[in-house]
């Protein structure tokens, strides 16, 4: 009996030791941020010095891909599975819809919690809230402060749906765990930043921390006020010619400030040196159309809700004080489904076998080739499907053509000179933190910026759109802006890629367009809040 007790004690000590050595993980998600909306991708209009320095001192992910919309990309992130294998593809969830991430599937915070992590989410959820069992605190998170749906008003925290003949319905969309947050005030980006830094400040360091910060910014708000930012911040952006883009630039400024504040809080807590930070956009920017926020993916073709590069190839980076990739850039393919196995591997946790994701930790860290060759995008609501195989991308089915053009070049106008990029870098919070941790940033290393800038020829006027009996093929390595259609030149490649794509389409859980708004979800039934409504 004594021997058994000693063995149990040793196992407990070993387990506690492993937990103490696991890295903290902070995962920051921007909502509808465009490829050309961060300055490390070349923008002189929307300066993002804190985000940029995370890339320059960490690793910029040059070919990071996601699903083309919010709910699908977040579902894939949490499960390591393509969204169409979960029934979560297509148009994002509305709060009057009874659908959610299948509860039979283990998701990222549940793996981390089982390994001893303290798990928290601040901000957007958007993978199910009609039932209590869909909520974050029932899916592995210790706490959730934020909105459960696709977006909310930046000051009033309301969310509105158009129910057709029944009119528009609205209600409070902000919650503290399962309690409506009526008492909260402030600009939501700042509110989420304060909540995130408070979690960091109060964290018990005897266990590792997993903190997901899923910002609303820069997603559009309700129809009456699509773009919202503090007036004083908008005034700072008066060098931006477009009035709408000026407000958008202010929203980006607040987002970048948030990133700097979160990193500073990690440093002040004394845990930055053992923290992995990821920053991504959930999908491409929405330059026009429904809930347009005047983001720009230019010169990439297409926007959010499109299978072209502007909808799928998005901002991504990975930071750790202990990374070995001295080039600070990785050109390998990575998909949103790869985060689950990548982060679990970095945390020393065994990765599940029944997922689509690939562990990219060693490849990124050593700047070696990606193990990913193939990526899929399948939306059976709109009716399109695409496959990336090696250097090539094939698009099939029906697309919304207005979302598949080159957009955003008209938003880049400036009045006079923009702020000095070097000054913005030097004045940033991240610049000071890097100096404090003994990894000062050399301003000459701004030359790293050239690695991430995409340059393309003038877009063609005769665009290929897939349709009935028609496909579009591009070499996205040599032609990242999808200007030269190649299907006639490579018919055998088209047939091979179509076969791979069709095999993948057969694995999907079909998804139909939601045409019914369930009156049981009406906020008026729940003191004008968007609460759970299915028992």
């Amino acid at each position: 009996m004594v021997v058994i007790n000693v063995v149990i004690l040793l196992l407990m000590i070993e387990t506690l030791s492993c937990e103490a050595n696991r890295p903290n993980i902070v995962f920051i998600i921007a909502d509808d941020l465009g490829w050309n909306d961060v300055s490390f991708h070349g923008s002189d209009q929307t300066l993002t010095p804190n985000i940029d320095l995370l890339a320059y001192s960490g690793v910029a992910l040059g070919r990071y891909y996601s699903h083309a919309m919010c709910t699908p990309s977040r579902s894939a992130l949490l499960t390591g599975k393509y969204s169409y294998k979960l029934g979560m593809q297509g148009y994002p969830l509305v709060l009057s819809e009874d659908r959610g991430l299948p509860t039979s599937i283990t998701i990222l915070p549940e793996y981390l919690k089982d390994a001893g992590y303290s798990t928290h989410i601040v901000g957007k959820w958007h993978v199910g809230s009609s039932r209590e069992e869909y909520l974050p605190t029932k899916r592995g998170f210790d706490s959730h402060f934020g909105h459960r749906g696709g977006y909310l008003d930046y000051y009033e925290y309301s969310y509105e749906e158009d129910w057709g003949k029944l009119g528009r319905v609205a209600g409070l969309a902000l919650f503290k765990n399962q309690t409506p947050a009526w008492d909260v005030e402030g600009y939501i980006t700042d509110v989420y930043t304060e909540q995130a830094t408070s979690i960091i400040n109060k964290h018990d360091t005897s266990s590792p921390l997993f903190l997901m910060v899923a910002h609303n910014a820069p997603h559009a708000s309700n129809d009456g006020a699509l773009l919202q930012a503090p007036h004083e911040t908008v005034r700072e952006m008066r060098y931006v010619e477009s009035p709408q883009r000026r407000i958008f630039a202010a929203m980006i400024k607040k987002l970048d400030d948030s990133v700097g504040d979160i990193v500073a809080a990690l440093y002040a807590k004394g845990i930055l040196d053992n923290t992995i930070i990821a920053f991504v956009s959930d999908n491409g920017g929405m330059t026009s159309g429904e809930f347009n926020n005047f983001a720009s993916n230019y010169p990439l073709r297409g926007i959010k809700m499109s299978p072209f590069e502007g909808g799928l190839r998005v901002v991504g980076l990975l930071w750790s004080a202990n990374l070995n990739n001295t080039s600070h850039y990785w050109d390998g393919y990575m998909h949103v489904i790869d985060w689950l196995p990548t982060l679990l591997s970095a945390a020393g946790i065994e990765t599940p076998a029944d997922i689509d994701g690939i562990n990219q930790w060693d490849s990124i860290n050593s700047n070696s080739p990606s193990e990913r060759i193939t990526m899929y995008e399948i939306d059976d609501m709109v009716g399109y499907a695409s496959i990336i195989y090696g250097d090539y991308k094939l698009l099939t089915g029906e697309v919304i053509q207005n979302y598949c053009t080159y957009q955003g070049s008209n938003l880049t106008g400036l009045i006079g000179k923009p702020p000095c990029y070097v000054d913005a870098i030097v004045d940033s919070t991240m610049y000071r933190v890097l100096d404090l941790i003994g990894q000062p940033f050399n301003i000459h290393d701004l030359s790293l910026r050239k690695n991430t800038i995409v340059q393309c020829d003038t877009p063609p006027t005769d665009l290929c759109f897939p349709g009935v009996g028609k496909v579009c093929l591009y070499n996205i390595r040599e032609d990242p802006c999808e200007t030269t259609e190649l299907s006639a030149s490579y018919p055998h490649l088209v047939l091979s890629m179509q076969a791979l794509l069709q095999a993948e389409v057969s694995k999907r859980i079909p998804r139909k367009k939601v045409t019914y708004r369930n009156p049981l979800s009406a906020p008026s039934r729940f003191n004008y809040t968007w609460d759970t409504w299915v028992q």
Side-chain angles (χ1 to χ4, degrees), residues 293-308:
N293 64 348
F294 297 88
S296 173
N297 307 303
Y298 196 81
L300 300 181
R301 179 181 173 184
I303 62 174
K304 174 184 176 180
M305 302 176 72
S306 114
F308 286 87

Side-chain angles (χ1 to χ4, degrees), residues 447-468:
S447 60
L448 294 168
R449 195 184 192 195
K450 70 180 184 298
N451 294 330
T452 62
I453 297 175
V454 172
Q455 294 180 328
C456 300
D457 297 331
T458 303
T461 55
D462 184 20
L463 301 180
C464 176
F465 296 101
V468 177

